[in-house]
Every structure is written in C-alpha cells, then in structure tokens.
Amino acid sequence: MSKQTLNDDTRGKLEHVSTATICTALYKRGLRNQFIQDVHPLNPALGNMVGPAFTLRYIPSREDLNPVSVFENRAHPQRKAVEECPAGAVFVIDSRKNPRAASAGSILVARLMKRGVAGIVTDGGFRDAAQIAKLHIPAYHNRPSAPTNLTVHQALDINVPIGCGDAPVFPDDVVVGDGDGVAIIPAHMAAEIADEAVEMTAFEDFVTEMVMEGRSILGLYPPTDDRTREDFVAWRAKHRR
Amino acid sequence: MSKQTLNDDTRGKLEHVSTATICTALYKRGLRNQFIQDVHPLNPALGNMVGPAFTLRYIPSREDLNPVSVFENRAHPQRKAVEECPAGAVFVIDSRKNPRAASAGSILVARLMKRGVAGIVTDGGFRDAAQIAKLHIPAYHNRPSAPTNLTVHQALDINVPIGCGDAPVFPDDVVVGDGDGVAIIPAHMAAEIADEAVEMTAFEDFVTEMVMEGRSILGLYPPTDDRTREDFVAWRAKHRR
Amino acid sequence: MSKQTLNDDTRGKLEHVSTATICTALYKRGLRNQFIQDVHPLNPALGNMVGPAFTLRYIPSREDLNPVSVFENRAHPQRKAVEECPAGAVFVIDSRKNPRAASAGSILVARLMKRGVAGIVTDGGFRDAAQIAKLHIPAYHNRPSAPTNLTVHQALDINVPIGCGDAPVFPDDVVVGDGDGVAIIPAHMAAEIADEAVEMTAFEDFVTEMVMEGRSILGLYPPTDDRTREDFVAWRAKHRR
Amino acid sequence: MSKQTLNDDTRGKLEHVSTATICTALYKRGLRNQFIQDVHPLNPALGNMVGPAFTLRYIPSREDLNPVSVFENRAHPQRKAVEECPAGAVFVIDSRKNPRAASAGSILVARLMKRGVAGIVTDGGFRDAAQIAKLHIPAYHNRPSAPTNLTVHQALDINVPIGCGDAPVFPDDVVVGDGDGVAIIPAHMAAEIADEAVEMTAFEDFVTEMVMEGRSILGLYPPTDDRTREDFVAWRAKHRR
Amino acid sequence: MSKQTLNDDTRGKLEHVSTATICTALYKRGLRNQFIQDVHPLNPALGNMVGPAFTLRYIPSREDLNPVSVFENRAHPQRKAVEECPAGAVFVIDSRKNPRAASAGSILVARLMKRGVAGIVTDGGFRDAAQIAKLHIPAYHNRPSAPTNLTVHQALDINVPIGCGDAPVFPDDVVVGDGDGVAIIPAHMAAEIADEAVEMTAFEDFVTEMVMEGRSILGLYPPTDDRTREDFVAWRAKHRR
Amino acid sequence: MSKQTLNDDTRGKLEHVSTATICTALYKRGLRNQFIQDVHPLNPALGNMVGPAFTLRYIPSREDLNPVSVFENRAHPQRKAVEECPAGAVFVIDSRKNPRAASAGSILVARLMKRGVAGIVTDGGFRDAAQIAKLHIPAYHNRPSAPTNLTVHQALDINVPIGCGDAPVFPDDVVVGDGDGVAIIPAHMAAEIADEAVEMTAFEDFVTEMVMEGRSILGLYPPTDDRTREDFVAWRAKHRR
C-alpha cells in the first residue's frame, strides 16, 4: 500500500529538500498545519527521514488495565505495531503531546531499525534517549522521558488517522524529517510537492550563493528583478540543476 | 448495550452522590486518573449528569478536507454521532484539550437533548454557550469558543476509546457530572462504586451535620472515635439512611 | 473615519447575530483566526458589543520608566487613549496575553462608558472587576487582576495594528462581542459579513425551532433535503424574516 | 501572635478597601509580586476576606505514603492544621499551582468556618465547590477539583513560609481577598498600607463620582489640576471622609 | 545519615543502570511519579549521577527581603546549604519549576564539586550554564537562566522534603541521573531497586543483543518464549552476569 | 544613531562579560526583567553577541493579507528591515513568543551576516536552523520551526519598542548574548553597566580560582572577609586586571 503513495523517485527527491521548503509548498496549497510542533531529532546527523506514515494511537492509561504484564500479550498494540510497521515507513505515535512518560525505548527503536523502518516520531518522549541517538534510524521526540509508557499511555489503535504535535497524520501520508523537525505531506500530493520542492531548493541554493557573494535580497528573493531570473537560468545551466 | 452497564438502580444512586465521593471510591481501588481535568458545567443547576459514555474522536483538521460543505454528507461523523448517541447516554468528545474552536454548538446540543441524551462533555469548548446554558441538558466544556469546529477539529471516529481532559474514556464507562466536573467510572465497577458512594455520602452528610454543630474533625472524619461510629449508627436510624 | 467602516445599518445587524455565526462566515472566506482566544464578558447581560476597533499597545514594563508618577503626564498613552477613543468604537488592548497585572480598572472603564465608547477588550485582565461588571459598557478580559498595569505593562502606541488573544486587530476592524467572546471582522468586509450573518441567523433560528419540535439534523442542518428548503421559505414568510 | 500583626483597627480598614488599591500601595514601596495569581472567589458576595496568614504546605504525593488511611492519624498535617488555625486567620495552602486534585473539601472548610477562621485560599482547587460556595466563609481557588488531595498532594508543613500563586506568603502576613483575588501584605507594613489604602479609596470614590458626572480623567486621575485637589477637599468635607 | 541509605554496593550498582530501568522497577511497586519532569543534563558525558538527596527549598522572592547584600549573611540558606551538603550527596533544589531566574551559578556549582558533592539538580535553571557544562560534576536543570536567583527565588529551608519537577523528594532519597533525566528512589527501597535494576539491565542488554541480531521482540521482550529464557541463561553464563 | 549608544570601548567590554553578570548589575539598579526568556543560541561557539537593538514587530497574520506573493513587494517590512538593519546592530524580532512558524530562515540570516549585522534574536523560531547554526553570526531563538512566517506572523513595524521573550526592548538598547541567552541593557546605562560588569568579572574570575583551589565561599563570595579583599587586590596586581 505504501508503495503506491511513495515511489522511489519521490522518496529520493524528498531526501534532499528541507521541511521548510516543503511547508512553503504546502502553504501555497492552503495547508498551514502540516508541521509537527515541538519535536526534535535525536540523531540529526543521519540526514532526512522519509517514508509513508504508519501510526500508533495512545490514550491516557488506566491503572487496572496497565500492569507491566500487559506486554506478555503478543497482541499488545505497541509491540504488535512495532512488528507490523512496513519497512520504509515512518512510525508515528500520537502521545497526546504528553512527554511525562516514554512513548518507546531503545529496544523497540532498535527493532524498528532492524526491520528497515525509515524513522520514528512521537509528540511525547523516548526513554534511553542517549542509546537511541546512537542508532542508525532517525528519531524525533519532544524530550527524553524515563518512565515506562504504561505510566500515562495506553496503546490502542494501529494505523488509524491521528494527531501528532497538533498536525493531522493519516496512514500513508508522507513524513519528512530534518533538523527543523517533521512535516506531513498528504499522500495524494506527495509527488507534486516533491517536484516543486526540488525546484524551490535549486532556486534557494542559487539565492544563498548570491547572498554569500553580497547581493541584496530585494529583487533576488523572491526574484522580482529580471536579472535574477536570468542569472538563475545561467546558474542552473552551469550547475546542471 | 448501555443497559447492561448502567441499570436504573445504579443510575439512580449516582444521581445523588458527588464526583468527589466517586473519585475517592475510585482512588481506594487504585484509579487516580478518572476525573476529566478542567471542564466546567454550563448549566450547574440541572443536577447530576449520569449515563454511559458514547464517544466522538476529533483529530486536528486539514484544510482541504474541511470545507463547510462537509456537513452536507449525512455520514459526517459529528452529525452521525449526534443522531446515533443512545438516549440516556452521555456524549463525550475528545477535542485534544483544544478549545480554540468549537466542539459543537447549540443546535447539535438541542438535538441531543431532544433525543433524550443524558449530557454532553468536551475537553474543548462549545459555541453558543449562553444558549446551551439555557437548555435542559447538562453540558460541560473548558470555555466558550465561537469558531466552527472545522477550524481546528476533524471528526473521525464514533464510540471508540478516547482521552478526554487527560482521563481515559471507554464506550459504556459510566459518566457522572456535578458542580466540580466530570468523573469516569469503568463500566464493570459502576454498581460497586455507586453502592459505596451512597454509603460514603450518608457518612459525609452525618459528618457535615456534626461539624455544623461544632464538633472537631479529629476522631470524626475519618471516624476513629468509637463515639463517632455510635453516633453515626444512631443518625442513620433516625434519618432512615 | 470609523463611520466609513461601520454604518448604522451594519452595526444594527451585528447587534443581533452571534460571534459563532460571524466566525463561520469568516471561515467561508478563508479567515480562521479572527476570534480573540480566551476572553470572557464581565457583564454578559448587556447584549452584543459592536464597534470599530480603537487600539492600545502595551509592551513589557521596565521599572525605571514606570513609577506611579508616569500617570501625571497627560500624554501618557493609556490615559490619552481613553480620552481619544471615539464614541461608538471598541477599545482593544494588546496586553500580550498577560493577565498578571491589570490592563485597566473601573475608573478608566467608567470614563470610556461616559464618553460613549461601545466596549473594551483586553487579552489580559481588569482590576476592580466586580465594579466593571456593574457598569453599562460591555467589557471582556481573561481574568481579574488587581496589580497596577505598570507592574508588567507599559502603554506605548495608540491605534496601531495589534495582536489580541492571538487574533490580528487593525484599527477600524469591526469588533463584535457576545457570550462566547469577541470576533474581529476586517473593516472592508463588515457589511458583507453582517448581511450574510443575518441570513444565517434566520436559518439557524428556523433550524433550532425544527430541532425543538423533534426533527433530525440530517437533511436539516445543512439543508440538503428539499423539504428543509421549502419549510424554511414558509417559515421566513410566516416570520417575515 | 496574630493579634500583634493585625489589630481590629487595621482589620476594619482592610475590610473596606480593594486588592487593587492595596497592590498599588505595595507597588509604591517596590513590592510587585504580592498578588496571588489566578485564584477566584467561590462566594464573592461575602465581602472582603481579611486576616493574618496561617499556612499549609503540600508537596507532590508519593503513593506508598498516601493511602486513604493516613487521615486516621490525628497528627496528619492537613487535619491538624484545620484544627489549629487561629480564629480570625486566613488559611493559605501552597498546592504548587496544581488543581488536578483537591486541596480540601466542604467538610474541612465548614470546620474552619465554625472555628471562626476568616477565609481559605489555595492555588489549587477545592472539591465540593458548590457546597463551599454556600458556606459563610470566603474561599478562593483556581478551579473545582473532585479528586482527593492524596492523588497529587501530600500535606507536610504547618505555618511555614510558602509560595501561593507565585506570591511569597509568610505566616502572619496579612491576607486580603475581594472580587479580583487575594493580596498579601507583609505583616510589618499592614497598618501603614491600610491607612494609605483608606486614603486612596476616598480619592478613588471621589474620582469615580466625578467621572460619572462626565469629567475627563486628565488632570483628575491623578490629580494634577489644582481644581481636582480643591474639589476633593470639598468632597471629603461633604462626605466626612 | 546518608551512609545508612546508600552504601557503596548500592551506589556502585546504581552507577550502571538507567533511570528508565529504575522507573520501571518503581512502577512495579506502585510508584509512578518518581521521575523529575523536564530537567536535562548539562554535561551528559560524565556518566550516572548517584547520591542521597540533600535539599534546598526556594519560595517566591519578596523584593524588600532580597537585596544583593543578603549574601553577605553567612547564614543565608543558599550559601549555607552549599557548604553543608555532604560529600557524595546530590544537591536538589525546589525552584517551583520556575527557570525565569537562576537557581545557582558556576561558582556555587564549582564549590559543590570541590567539596565532593555527587551532583546538582534544579527544576529551574542555572546561570553560567556553559561553564557548568565544563565542570566535572553532573548538573541537571530545565534551561539556562542568567538573572540572579534573587529575582524570583528566595532560599528558605535546608534539607526538608520538597517537590522537584513534580516529584516528591525526601532528604536521603537516592537520586540517580543519566541522559534521560533524574529519578528519585525512596531511601528505604534503594538497595532493593538497585538489585532489581541490575538484573533487569542484564536482561535488557541480552535483549538488545538479540534484537541487533534480527530477532523479533515478540516472545523475547518480555520473555514469554521458553527459548528466550533458555538463551538468556546461556547468555548470562557466557557473559558472567 | 547606534554609535552614540554603543562606542567601541563599551562594545569591547561587553564582549567579555556574561549575561549573568550583566543581569546582576541591572538587578542592583532595580531592573529585574531585562533577560529575554527562553531563547537559546544556535551557534554558541561564536562568542558573545553585542550590538544596539534594531527591532521588527510581528502581529498575528491574517490569511487574506499574507499570500506568498507579499514578499514581491520590496517594502515588505520583514525584507526591508533585513536590508536596513545597521551593521553592528542586533536584529531583534517580537514574534509574540510563538514558535509555531518561522521568524526567519537561513537566507535572511545570511544576508544579515553579509551586511555586518552583529546578531539576530527572536522569541519565536528559525527555519533552516541547522544551516543557520553554521553561519558566522550569533542567532538566538526558542526552537526550530519550518513553516513560513506568513503562517502565523505578519511583519508590521520596523525599529519600534517591542517585547521579546517578556523583556522590553527599545531601539538602541544594547543587546548582549552568550550561552545562557540574551540580556537587554537600556541604552543610557550601557557604558556604566559595561564598566561594572568588567569589574565584577575580574572578581568572579578570582573567586572561581580560589574555589578551584578549595576555598569556602563563605567570606569569599561575597567578600565579607578582609582576607578576601586583600587577596583580590594581590590577584588583580598579579593578573594586571
């Protein structure tokens, strides 16, 4: 299913554009709320995280339903979701913006990495954050949190539409993470946004180069001067972009 | 389905005990998180709200999915839920604690009232709050909020487990509201909690009477003095409680 | 100046529609952020507050610039603004959503009332709130706050564009307040919104009447059934609306 | 002990001045942080609350130390404090600004009332709020809260310096509450502040009268015009204040 | 006194287990609230912080009591506490979760380091944070904060029970910090928790190794499969753990 | 204009003192609120940021006024301000403490750097944060934020008094940033504060050296012992400070 929404071409493009550029492209289409608020990368050196969303929904935990022994049940939604998340997908958790207990820890994240999952995001917090930061899988959270998830979270639903950091996330929406955080692209417009973002990135790289050479941003960014548009054409030719 | 979890006897008892008493009874059983935080009654004079929970789940809205025209769809979850909520139930909305747009307005609340629904709760806000305050159906929210729900909410699921004001709410859990706010009793312990709360209320009424007569709370509340226990027996006999 | 943006006809219409209805009309035009968040009426019985915005901007106070003696200066922006606000306007204060000290007190609000000002709004708090609640001028704030405004606020600008409760407010925008709170209508669309809101209100009143008679909201609200549209035509004729 | 800090004369004066006026008098002396933030009266019709502070300090509760049975211990600090708080004092609770569980309920507040205590304040919440609202003792809190205090609070210290709503409160500081909330006057300056506040109140009453007659606040408030000062002298003579 | 609660054996064990593991061990015993919320290590490379708690309590500052000259008093609680905190203890400050002014700066933290103190924690902020980050003593705070503590804090009590980041902290409770933050172990169960945490850590290390080899978490974590338990026995033998 | 308020001598001094020291010097003069709350350096290795403030004020954005095309207008306040900010100044943005959309991105910050601007501060967030972190210009924000500023911000005023992180900032006030954050020195006292801070820094360096040698802080910090004062004289002579 994920393949349909995110082919290799689109994935490849999204690996080299920023969430800032994506958010502007979405803004032009009237979508203002696709950035997951207040999550941060644990391992920012890994490069962009890209993949279709696979979701997990938590609700507040009730004490009688959440002894430590619940994990002995192989059908427990948190553990089940970790084993079912498709390779190449991004595992996105609705923790109700509550980082007072962990959304997951290093063992589950390591398992996701081994299974080929493309990344993990929670609007809560991870435990064992220093260990996760060393794993080769992008991970985003609000802040570290040592208490077991059972303390405030109860895993309930797998791969349903959720909220994460005030953004709507539907299964198979395309998730992109970089140093700024995580953006959600509605599945049906992923290819279109990727194309536009690649174009915008070329222009922004050109602008950055011009700015570093001392040019004013007026007339350059946006390119209201004819000269800017001409220079950009030349720059693209020169850089084959 | 609701009948099983909340028979008339239990409902009747819960109509005359306080959420404070219920929370203490739940606390004795290890449940510390069953009070919906920070919601307030719009029409506190109506007396206790009691009924099994019927839930609606919102996620953050996405602009392209939420033009005003969505309500023309008879299957829109918000409108559908209003027509499907059983008489006698309490309609509980997970608005992600976000009162920046309305969870519902006076027309929908009036329809619930006419359908015999026992009350409505959101951890967001209602629009037309002054009108709702005049309806004969208990309603609880965080604060008034005029913007249409589409502004920040998208109705998604009907009658699934949700969070509301940081409390877990499962369908058919028993919802009780009074002047302090709203407590959630797990369905399977509703009868037991109701019985205990009635007993506790008798004792608290006795204690209040003694305190108003000038007695110290030491030995009285809790009843560690023999005299207190004896006096209570006499008081119960006298008041036939 | 205000007369241009708000003629008597428009003002009259806006006195009889709700902020909920106005917010929906604005939403249809792509404006999602025109409701001042988290302010409440001190005297809700007074009816709608309507008038063009006249603004005052506070910044955080600096102790050396804000001894009590600053008010001896007749040019102090807070006092000057109170004397300059046009009759019929609504005085809107940008208090940076900080109610830890007062935005104004009962004497200034009484003066505004006597000068014929149509209302006052702050996203902070008023002192002497109980006295203000007795005055015949609509007033909206976040919560009562006794400390003098100098404690955290410094009045700076009169009648510039501001933010109030996260909403943008430009001078002469039309301000409408009711029990739910306060909505801001951009000046140039006030007449159009008023007209549409009057129409919507007629329909909502019809719908409310139908709902109270027991009709389902499906097909009625919105009016996707032919019967609804026909009944509404008849209702309008009967009620001359 | 309390008698020293608050004699009948000072108490009497403080019963007829506002917390707004008191805060301004404190501000003139460099005290900017003596207003308890975000607490509200449950029974505002009762008039000013005045008395020396008697304090109770809560810390976060630990589950193993807080079974319901702790109240069987007559030395439990919450119950002990209720019986020890002097008549005429105000009972002030440091609940760490956490209203997620109750600071106290109607039985304890009723006992305080019967013992002649002058009022009760918490920066958390009370349970049985509707009952407390009917008692003849001023009570201030953040919001109603049904869960037993044991859920998040553990009573620890009696009559030590505390913080309440971000204000410092030392035992015997003079506490004054009105419709706006609660101000704390350092014990040693209570008489001085009371005297000044009475003077300020006379002037404010005069100003209010002038404003209601249509006079501008410029030159009047503050009284920079000679005429204002002369009129005030005449007004005082006439009203014997 | 501290020696009783934390012997070298227990200390040694706690230096090599995580706060996540400790929180789970506490959770099994019904303690859900022993993690200090939202504090972060300034120098995470130093390894675990372990020691019995020695506490300092701040209340909100009152301006007249807090001129800079208060520090000239050798009995000032902040300075006194720094000189009295036992070597090997962890200095824990109740800053009421307020980082708007500093809880301490680099000079005091350096002094604690020289005195052999095992670490320092505040739920507020430190000034000179970059300097503290270079000291060889673990330090945890919410965020850097340059203003002198007198701006909002007044040191009051030494070594009394406090709240820190919403967790209860009693003197001699055992404090453990790592990359995730800081956990508080009640003094009487420190040895027991340490023992269990060492066992749990061995199992978690085994699980991590298995996961990195590609094994599924189902049946492995928790060890519901016989094979897991057998493999773990073998792993322990091999690794002599 | 800026030259008057910040000469090279003062600038040089402020480049080598901490915001903590500056805040204490300001505190001694009764200024308690000059630290911008909750902003953090993106590139802390660059050393102190020093310069007179040049400000930009945002208000909440209104959708119809903020299509992406607004930047085509060369007079757009954000772009205009970037080109007008004087070399040597610090660009300070009032983002109303809202980091949900960007205050600026790497291209604008690069342009400021090339123009010789001394630094940039927002109480919101920057997009392209990882790129900004590599530029040779100090930058401070609350957290990274990818959405274009138009999403929630509208640039309005250039170089007016603003609030930033709850601190008042007037044009030409002297802005100093270090690892702890950003302090604002009123323009007229910049030289005086710089002088005092240099003196204080010498003493603090001496104290730190003494503490690292094992001396107690009592009598040393503050220097209430004669010996301290004598040792400091000797230390200054030795270190020529």
Side-chain angles (χ1 to χ4, degrees), chain F residues 123-182:
Chain F
D123 56 1
F126 295 121
R127 65 198 322 207
D128 316 312
Q131 281 63 50
I132 294 173
K134 292 175 195 156
L135 294 176
H136 202 80
I137 176 173
Y140 292 78
H141 69 165
N142 177 264
R143 66 175 197 238
S145 184
T148 171
N149 68 94
L150 303 174
T151 314
V152 302
H153 299 304
Q154 169 160 353
L156 199 94
D157 277 340
I158 298 179
N159 221 21
V160 297
I162 58 171
C164 186
D166 293 340
V169 183
F170 291 81
D172 286 326
D173 278 356
V174 178
V175 183
V176 183
D178 67 1
D180 281 352
V182 178

Side-chain angles (χ1 to χ4, degrees), chain E residues 66 74 79 100 127-128 143, chain F residues 20 27 166 180 221 225:
Chain E
N66 287 284
R74 281 164 178 257
R79 302 298 161 95
R100 297 179 74 91
R127 65 199 322 206
D128 316 314
R143 66 175 196 238
Chain F
Y27 182 86
D166 293 340
D180 281 352
Y221 182 62
D225 281 357

Side-chain angles (χ1 to χ4, degrees), chain A residues 79 82-83 107-108 111, chain E residues 211 215-222:
Chain A
R79 302 299 161 95
V82 166
E83 292 295 334
I107 290 173
L108 297 193
R111 177 60 184 155
Chain E
V211 164
R215 209 187 278 187
S216 163
I217 54 170
L218 300 181
L220 174 70
Y221 181 64

Side-chain angles (χ1 to χ4, degrees), chain F:
Chain F
M1 180 167 64
S2 301
K3 286 174 191 165
Q4 294 174 298
T5 63
L6 184 61
N7 60 38
D8 287 350
D9 177 57
T10 300
R11 183 187 291 267
K13 287 173 180 162
L14 292 173
E15 281 169 352
H16 298 94
V17 298
S18 72
T19 56
T21 300
I22 289 167
C23 284
T24 299
L26 290 168
Y27 182 86
K28 290 179 188 169
R29 287 160 179 79
L31 299 187
R32 300 159 159 271
N33 196 31
Q34 301 298 116
F35 186 67
I36 296 178
Q37 291 291 333
D38 211 2
V39 300
H40 312 285
L42 281 86
N43 31 25
L46 291 185
N48 274 20
M49 169 181 74
V50 182
F54 180 87
T55 72
L56 178 64
R57 179 164 81 97
Y58 285 142
I59 63 166
S61 65
R62 206 174 81 196
E63 293 88 341
D64 60 335
L65 299 176
N66 287 283
V68 169
S69 59
V70 291
F71 293 127
E72 294 171 11
N73 179 358
R74 282 166 178 254
H76 186 275
Q78 189 206 45
R79 301 300 160 94
K80 190 161 175 279
V82 166
E83 292 295 334
E84 288 185 358
C85 180
V90 174
F91 193 86
V92 185
I93 306 174
D94 175 350
S95 300
R96 304 182 74 77
K97 301 192 289 186
N98 187 342
R100 295 177 77 89
S103 298
S106 61
I107 290 174
L108 297 193
V109 177
R111 176 60 184 154
L112 289 170
M113 177 186 71
K114 294 302 289 187
R115 294 192 57 256
V117 167
I120 181 168
V121 186
T122 179
D123 56 1
F126 295 121
R127 65 198 322 207
D128 316 312
Q131 281 63 50
I132 294 173
K134 292 175 195 156
L135 294 176
H136 202 80
I137 176 173
Y140 292 78
H141 69 165
N142 177 264
R143 66 175 197 238
S145 184
T148 171
N149 68 94
L150 303 174
T151 314
V152 302
H153 299 304
Q154 169 160 353
L156 199 94
D157 277 340
I158 298 179
N159 221 21
V160 297
I162 58 171
C164 186
D166 293 340
V169 183
F170 291 81
D172 286 326
D173 278 356
V174 178
V175 183
V176 183
D178 67 1
D180 281 352
V182 178
I184 304 297
I185 312 173
H188 71 281
M189 58 171 78
E192 172 187 337
I193 293 288
D195 286 343
E196 180 161 331
V198 166
E199 289 296 297
M200 290 169 69
T201 300
F203 181 68
E204 288 158 3
D205 287 351
F206 159 75
V207 167
T208 296
E209 206 172 301
M210 295 303 104
V211 164
M212 294 307 280
E213 288 175 5
R215 208 188 277 187
S216 163
I217 53 170
L218 301 181
L220 173 70
Y221 182 62
T224 47
D225 281 357
D226 289 342
R227 180 188 156 202
T228 301
R229 288 187 293 269
E230 294 160 9
D231 287 353
F232 182 44
V233 169
W235 184 93
R236 296 196 81 158
K238 180 180 163 194
H239 291 81
R240 297 172 188 258
R241 291 178 68 176

Side-chain angles (χ1 to χ4, degrees), chain C residues 16 38 40 59 99 157 183 192:
Chain C
H16 298 93
D38 211 3
H40 312 285
I59 63 167
D157 277 341
E192 172 188 338

Side-chain angles (χ1 to χ4, degrees), chain A residues 14-30:
Chain A
L14 292 173
E15 281 169 353
H16 297 94
V17 298
S18 71
T19 57
T21 300
I22 290 167
C23 285
T24 299
L26 291 166
Y27 182 85
K28 290 178 187 169
R29 286 159 180 79

